[in-house]
Structure formats: C-alpha cells, structure tokens
Amino acid sequence: MVETTRTAAVSPDLLLMLLADARLPTSGHTQSGGLEPALLGGLPEDGVVDYARTRLATVVRVDAGTAVVARGLALAGRRTDAVEVAWAARTPSPALRDASRDLGRALRRLALRVWPDAPALAELRLVRTPCRPRVVGLLGASLGLSPEQMARLVAYDDAQSVLAASLKLVPGDPAEATAALVALARDVEAVVTAVADLTDPSDVPATSAPLTEAWAQAHATAPRRLFRA
C-alpha cells in the first residue's frame, strides 16, 4: 500500500498545483462547466470565452465564497453544514446541485484516501454527498491553503473546465484555448478579491445566472450528450 501523504512536509504551493491539475481522479472530465448545455441552448460558438467570463462573475463566486467560508469554519473547529445550506439556496437548479455533489463525492473519496487523518476532513466520513466547494474548503483548511488560494483554485478550475470542454464541443486549436485561459486571469483575480475575506455562510455571494440554470435543467433530460453538465 502506498504510504499516506504527510501534508506537513509538502509545500502548500505544490498541493495547490495538485488540486488544480485536470488529471486529478475526481470525475471532472464528465463536466463541461455548463458549456455543452449552453451551446445546445443557443450560445454562439465564438462566445465561449465570454461565457467563461460570465460564469466567473456569477456562479463561480458562489462556489468560491462557499469554499472560503467552509475553510474558515473548519479552522475554527466548526462543522460546515450551514455553508452548504447557503450554497444550495444560491444554486436553484437541481441539476447543477446534483452535478456539484457528484464532483464533491469524488473529491471526498480522494481526500479521505490521501489524507485520512486530517482533522478538518473528519466530518466527511459522515457526509457522503457534499457539494464540491465544501470539500475544497475542508481540504484548504487541512492543507494550509489561504483563502486567496482557495478562491483562485475554484475560479481557475471552472475556467479551465469550460475551455477544455470547448475543444471537444467546438474543435479548435488547444493553444488558443490556453491563450484564452491566460486572458481570463484578471477575471479570476476579481473572484479572489470578491470572496477572500468572507467568514460567515450568510456572506456567500448570491450572484446567480438564471439562463445557465435553465440550460442545465434542460440538459439533464437530453438523450444525447457528452457531458453531464
């Protein structure tokens, strides 16, 4: 059996890179950041970058704020149930809540396998279907990541998921997708600025994107699709 990772000996920067790696076995390849339903719903093919930017200004702030607050609660020795309730109230679409909890379940499994003794992860043994940002926040508390790193991780992951999915849905040059991700750096940092100081579940932003929610709901019953959401 592989020896369990000892987080105290691992640089937080390295751990951040690990969690941001698209090859992490957390079922991320099944998600398009809502791009597939958006394209099916009428988003023009040349609107992918604008779509990613809109997500960063809306639904991603909800997830990033949730992760930041969950981290703070865990470090204070408090459970994070209340922040998940706040997240769910700000994520009206059942399809998007289900997709996030699928990803959260996969990340939960990975977290408990790699860092089974981390105190901040103990509640995950009792919560089997947490939303993904809740698990990200608990990992941040366990691994010594800052609120800024938490928010940046959530924002980067969403943008790279959208742009990676675009290469399957709207075939193009991977170099262009990478350039687009770099071009979104300022928008990613805007997310960090907006949520890094949040401390209470009631502080989580309520920046919704109704059309994204509607596209996701329609996509949930689509008979043919590459991605779940």
Side-chain angles (χ1 to χ4, degrees):
M1 180 177 292
V2 178
E3 182 181 0
T4 300
T5 302
R6 297 180 180 179
T7 58
V10 182
S11 162
D13 288 337
L14 188 151
L15 292 168
L16 182 63
M17 288 189 288
L18 183 152
L19 293 175
D21 193 331
R23 294 167 295 183
L24 206 65
T26 58
S27 301
H29 62 280
T30 67
Q31 307 294 322
S32 69
L35 180 62
E36 184 176 32
L39 290 168
L40 292 174
L43 179 77
E45 292 186 357
D46 62 359
V48 171
V49 176
D50 287 338
Y51 171 78
R53 181 172 286 114
T54 298
R55 284 184 61 86
L56 288 168
T58 55
V59 295
V60 175
R61 296 194 181 200
V62 177
D63 282 0
T66 299
V68 167
V69 175
R71 171 196 173 277
L73 292 177
L75 287 175
R78 297 168 58 190
R79 283 181 59 93
T80 59
D81 305 86
V83 75
E84 175 139 5
V85 172
W87 166 84
R90 293 157 173 78
T91 309
S93 165
L96 291 184
R97 292 199 301 270
D98 288 346
S100 180
R101 286 174 173 144
D102 280 350
L103 292 172
R105 184 168 59 246
L107 188 57
R108 167 192 178 275
R109 176 181 180 276
L110 179 73
L112 292 177
R113 171 64 183 84
V114 181
W115 300 286
D117 301 321
L121 296 177
E123 71 177 67
L124 290 180
R125 298 193 179 279
L126 303 175
V127 181
R128 294 200 166 272
T129 57
C131 67
R132 186 178 185 278
R134 179 181 182 180
V135 184
V136 171
L138 291 170
L139 274 169
S142 300
L143 305 181
L145 302 181
S146 69
E148 291 80 7
Q149 287 174 313
M150 288 282 83
R152 193 171 290 116
L153 170 64
V154 172
Y156 166 80
D157 182 76
D158 193 87
Q160 70 88 15
S161 293
V162 169
L163 292 168
S166 73
L167 295 175
K168 297 180 181 179
L169 298 167
V170 187
D173 185 347
E176 289 296 324
T178 302
L181 184 56
V182 173
L184 290 169
R186 184 174 298 178
D187 301 277
V188 169
E189 291 307 307
V191 175
V192 177
T193 300
V195 307
D197 293 332
L198 304 184
T199 59
D200 189 84
S202 64
D203 295 333
V204 175
T207 45
S208 64
L211 189 54
T212 297
E213 301 270 350
W215 283 335
Q217 283 303 117
H219 190 63
T221 58
R224 299 179 64 182
R225 55 189 180 180
L226 291 177
F227 298 96
R228 174 163 183 182

